[in-house]
Amino acid sequence: GAVVSQHPSWVICKSGTSVKIECRSLDFQATTMFWYRQFPKQSLMLMATSNEGSKATYEQGVEKDKFLINHASLTLSTLTVTSAHPEDSSFYICSAYAPGQGEQYFGPGTRLTVT
Amino acid sequence: TQLLEQSPQFLSIQEGENLTVYCNSSSVFSSLQWYRQEPGEGPVLLVTVVTGGEVKKLKRLTFQFGDARKDSSLHITAAQPGDTGLYLCAGHSGGYNKLIFGAGTRLAVHP
């Protein structure tokens, strides 16, 4: 099956610093990856769509200068939370679209805590 | 804007009971997916329904896609504590492969 990994699985950082989260498709090439944010006891909210080799498309209300997305290869997308604040604390989940199977496969998530 | 409404939001039942979770929209979706998510983990795909009226079974779970492809249901027979988790429906939004998620149903099955 298609496997998606995320690194780190959890991170604690101080307010004002930047944090990078990696999303990798391990056994397939993903032209499109998605980044979601999930607050406690809530559903997943799509933040942005990341296409390999082009600029990410952000959902309404998501600050593109704060959440920097880079999709440098067909197996790697990164999300950088810049100048993090406590309200950015959340569970960040990525998914990768497998064209051959027509499905999105989700990573295990990254728990970000900003102190 | 396409929206998916899930109900109920919370469900607490005893082991052995049956339950149904609903996912409704005013929009037509090319496909609907059901996921199960456990705390601290990413969602895991249970099933994808594509054809209006389609019924799929996965052991004690039965998934149905409405004839008009605007709604879906998940029925669990004889629920077990291992079924506890957050159940999410999600619809594919056109050809862009974006998924629109419902708010989720948090299921707790007590022994």
Side-chain angles (χ1 to χ4, degrees):
Chain A
V3 179
V4 176
S5 70
Q6 278 184 245
H7 178 81
S9 54
W10 59 270
V11 57
I12 302 172
C13 71
K14 291 188 176 181
S15 188
T17 62
S18 295
V19 174
K20 181 185 285 189
I21 302 170
E22 292 185 350
C23 177
R24 292 181 186 273
S25 55
L26 298 185
D27 51 2
F28 66 99
Q29 293 185 329
T31 53
T32 305
M33 289 184 173
F34 302 88
W35 287 96
Y36 297 83
R37 182 166 51 183
Q38 185 177 33
F39 291 108
K41 300 187 189 281
Q42 293 187 24
S43 186
L44 279 71
M45 289 184 58
L46 180 65
M47 298 175 66
T49 302
S50 169
N51 291 297
E52 187 266 337
S54 64
K55 290 184 179 180
T57 304
Y58 291 82
E59 295 298 302
Q60 193 172 8
V62 178
E63 300 174 58
K64 61 180 181 180
D65 294 330
K66 180 169 184 62
F67 298 99
L68 301 178
I69 291 172
N70 183 275
H71 195 154
S73 77
L74 287 172
T75 59
L76 172 65
S77 176
T78 60
L79 168 68
T80 301
V81 183
T82 62
S83 186
H85 290 285
E87 56 265 31
D88 298 325
S89 298
S90 188
F91 194 50
Y92 291 87
I93 305 173
C94 73
S95 70
Y97 180 72
Q101 302 180 47
E103 304 282 2
Q104 275 190 43
Y105 293 92
F106 285 82
T110 296
R111 171 78 56 197
L112 169 64
T113 302
V114 185
T115 61
Chain B
T1 304
Q2 293 178 299
L3 292 174
L4 278 169
E5 294 183 356
Q6 260 186 265
S7 61
Q9 283 191 317
F10 303 96
L11 203 49
S12 180
I13 61 173
Q14 293 298 124
E15 182 176 2
E17 292 184 21
N18 302 332
L19 66 115
T20 303
V21 177
Y22 299 93
C23 180
N24 297 298
S25 175
S26 58
S27 303
V28 174
F29 285 91
S30 56
S31 65
L32 271 178
Q33 299 181 316
W34 285 92
Y35 292 83
R36 179 165 165 262
Q37 184 184 23
E38 301 206 31
E41 298 180 11
V44 175
L45 179 65
L46 296 174
V47 78
T48 299
V49 286
V50 179
T51 307
E54 182 176 8
V55 177
K56 282 190 174 179
K57 290 193 174 185
L58 187 65
K59 296 184 180 178
R60 292 175 295 100
L61 279 59
T62 302
F63 305 86
Q64 188 163 7
F65 201 12
D67 291 340
R69 291 186 291 135
K70 293 183 179 181
D71 55 87
S72 181
S73 63
L74 157 61
H75 182 79
I76 301 180
T77 304
Q80 299 176 1
D83 295 327
T84 294
L86 177 66
Y87 289 82
L88 297 157
C89 68
H92 263 279
S93 178
Y96 198 41
N97 302 319
K98 278 172 58 171
L99 279 178
I100 309 296
F101 277 87
T105 295
R106 196 163 295 276
L107 171 66
V109 183
H110 304 283

